[in-house]
């Protein structure tokens, strides 16, 4: 890159970076005045900061070193402000006297300023705990459908956790039926699944995924975030950039039309990998071939035998 081109890029980057930084800083300050701070808001703010970190990493070598150091200090200040905001979201603990313990000084370690201070984002204890009234949990070798859930007249968070060798099919069987219209999912919390298929309708809010091994997910949402998972096929319709962290062998494709139409303008290939904040392509995810989706994908019933369930599930899971 010539000196003139580098100068032009530096000016353009500075304007864009400072605009995004100022907007994020204002959103954080406004959030501090809220009486309640939602998990979804914290996730959104953290994702925006990660985008700034990624853009700065991509620009390394094309902007003056002094400017880069200033930008790094600014994103660090944003993380400190986010940390303060997470602290405000926690309920205040009752006062109690505690025995004073000697201070211990940990050994210092060298770390690049651009290595994500985002490790704290993966700490679920830093986020307010959602209220979840709907759940599917602790099942093996089963087919779980809408009939497996309690009916609710208002939007609810749904937790799907601790399943192995299951198929979860929450796709409505027909428009306007009484059983379908009663299910309103505001957000999904998915955790600890193995060899399991999830066929899910679009939801209004976020989908948070933790600890999946050899699974298939089809879902539409506003935000998608995945942690500590391996060998997962994700068929996704999402309005914001999906986020993965500490994941490997993740494949992303579009939401299958065979499961129903979705009007969501999807960004399922614009992945932010918090474990690979570099300009080079992430080795942890790849594009999924949607030709693998078939009209023979399971839309079955609760009376199928275990043998048929196993065969159907294996045809939809990633290859071992």
């Amino acid at each position: 890159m010539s000196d003139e081109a580098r100068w032009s890029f530096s000016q353009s980057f500075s304007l864009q970076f400072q605009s995004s930084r100022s907007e994020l800083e204002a959103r954080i300050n406004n959030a501090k005045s809220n009486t309640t701070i939602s998990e979804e808001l914290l996730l959104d703010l953290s994702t925006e900061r990660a985008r700034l970190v990624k853009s700065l990493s991509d620009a390394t070598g094309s902007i003056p070193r002094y400017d880069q150091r200033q930008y790094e200090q600014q994103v660090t200040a944003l993380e400190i402000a986010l940390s303060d905001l997470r602290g405000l979201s926690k309920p205040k603990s009752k006062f109690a006297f505690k025995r004073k313990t000697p201070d211990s000084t940990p050994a210092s370690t060298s770390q690049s300023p651009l290595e994500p201070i985002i490790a704290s984002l993966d700490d679920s204890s830093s986020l307010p705990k959602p209220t979840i009234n709907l759940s599917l949990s602790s099942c093996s070798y089963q087919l779980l459908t809408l009939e497996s859930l309690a009916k609710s007249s208002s939007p609810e968070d749904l937790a799907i956790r601790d399943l192995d060798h299951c198929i979860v099919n929450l796709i409505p069987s027909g428009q306007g039926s009484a059983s379908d219209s009663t299910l309103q999912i505001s957000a999904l919390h998915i955790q600890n699944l193995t060899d399991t298929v999830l066929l899910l309708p679009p939801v209004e809010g976020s989908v948070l995924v933790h600890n999946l091994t050899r699974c298939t997910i089809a879902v539409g949402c506003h935000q998608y975030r995945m942690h500590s998972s391996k060998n997962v096929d994700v068929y996704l319709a999402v309005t914001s950039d999906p986020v993965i962290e500490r994941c490997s062998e993740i494949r992303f494709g579009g939401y299958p039309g065979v499961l129903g139409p979705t009007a969501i303008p999807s960004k399922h290939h614009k992945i932010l990998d918090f474990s690979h904040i570099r300009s080079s392509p992430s080795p942890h995810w790849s594009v999924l071939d949607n030709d693998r989706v078939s009209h023979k994908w399971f839309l079955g019933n609760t009376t199928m035998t275990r043998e048929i369930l196993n065969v159907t599930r294996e045809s939809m899971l990633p290859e071992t």
Side-chain angles (χ1 to χ4, degrees):
M1 184 183 294
S2 65
D3 290 343
E4 183 178 353
R6 182 175 286 106
W7 182 87
S8 178
F9 173 84
S10 175
Q11 296 302 305
S12 175
F13 177 83
S14 177
L15 289 173
Q16 183 177 359
F17 180 90
Q18 294 298 352
S19 175
S20 299
R21 181 197 62 79
S22 297
E23 181 180 353
L24 178 56
E25 184 178 43
R27 290 185 64 194
I28 293 173
N29 290 334
N30 289 337
K32 290 180 179 179
S33 63
N34 294 344
T35 54
T36 59
I37 302 171
S38 67
E39 177 183 0
E40 186 170 355
L41 175 60
L42 287 172
L43 175 61
D44 189 37
L45 294 174
S46 300
T47 301
E48 287 301 317
R49 180 190 168 275
R51 289 195 183 96
L52 277 179
V53 175
K54 181 69 165 61
S55 67
L56 184 55
S57 176
D58 291 345
T60 299
S62 300
I63 55 178
R65 291 184 179 179
Y66 175 80
D67 290 350
Q68 179 156 344
R69 287 195 296 271
Q70 296 300 309
Y71 299 151
E72 289 170 356
Q73 292 173 8
Q74 290 167 7
V75 295
T76 300
L78 288 173
E79 172 56 27
I80 293 173
L82 270 173
S83 180
D84 292 341
L85 188 62
R86 293 187 201 103
L88 292 175
S89 72
K90 296 180 180 179
K92 293 183 178 180
S93 57
K94 295 181 179 179
F95 176 79
F97 289 103
K98 294 184 178 179
R99 185 185 299 275
K100 186 176 180 180
T101 57
D103 294 333
S104 58
T105 304
S108 61
T109 57
S110 60
Q111 186 179 26
S112 167
L114 283 185
E115 296 234 350
I117 314 168
I118 341 178
S120 61
L121 305 184
D122 190 43
D123 181 8
S124 58
S125 64
S126 67
L127 299 175
K129 301 300 181 184
T131 301
I132 298 175
N133 296 323
L134 297 176
S135 67
L136 297 170
S137 63
S138 305
C139 295
S140 300
Y141 294 93
Q142 290 190 34
L143 164 62
L144 304 171
T145 68
L146 291 168
E147 300 301 322
S148 308
L149 288 170
K151 301 300 183 287
S152 175
S153 59
S154 60
E156 301 275 4
D157 283 16
L158 170 62
I160 303 175
R161 59 169 68 98
D162 302 319
L163 305 182
D164 67 273
H165 297 86
C166 290
I167 295 178
V168 178
N169 178 15
L170 302 185
I171 303 299
S173 58
Q175 298 297 326
S177 66
S179 61
D180 295 342
S181 60
T182 56
L183 178 66
Q184 301 180 60
I185 302 174
S186 53
L188 280 165
H189 305 265
I190 303 169
Q191 187 172 13
N192 300 335
L193 308 187
T194 302
D195 294 301
T196 291
V197 175
L198 304 180
L199 305 181
L200 308 171
V203 301
E204 291 294 329
S206 57
V207 175
L208 307 178
V209 181
H210 294 262
N211 303 323
L212 269 60
T213 302
R214 195 180 178 239
C215 291
T216 293
I217 305 176
V219 70
C221 57
H222 174 59
Q223 292 180 323
Y224 181 88
R225 183 158 181 174
M226 171 180 279
H227 296 269
S228 306
S229 298
K230 181 177 181 180
N231 194 16
V232 181
D233 288 348
V234 183
Y235 297 90
L236 188 63
V238 62
T239 57
S240 60
D241 296 349
V243 172
I244 63 173
E245 185 172 14
R246 293 208 290 271
C247 294
S248 61
E249 300 177 51
I250 311 299
R251 292 162 292 277
F252 285 91
Y255 189 78
V258 67
L259 299 183
T262 173
I264 297 175
S266 185
K267 296 184 177 181
H268 56 274
H269 286 163
K270 297 185 177 181
I271 313 300
L272 290 174
D273 184 355
F274 281 8
S275 297
H276 189 81
I277 308 295
R278 300 177 179 86
S279 57
S280 58
S282 168
H284 304 137
W285 72 273
S286 60
V287 175
L288 184 63
D289 185 1
N290 271 44
D291 291 342
R292 189 168 181 271
V293 179
S294 166
H295 285 279
K296 295 180 181 179
W297 260 35
F298 173 71
L299 297 173
N301 55 67
T302 56
T303 60
M304 66 181 350
T305 65
R306 177 163 172 170
E307 289 74 18
I308 296 177
L309 176 66
N310 290 342
V311 171
T312 305
R313 185 190 63 251
E314 284 300 314
S315 70
M316 302 166 68
L317 285 172
E319 297 179 358
T320 54

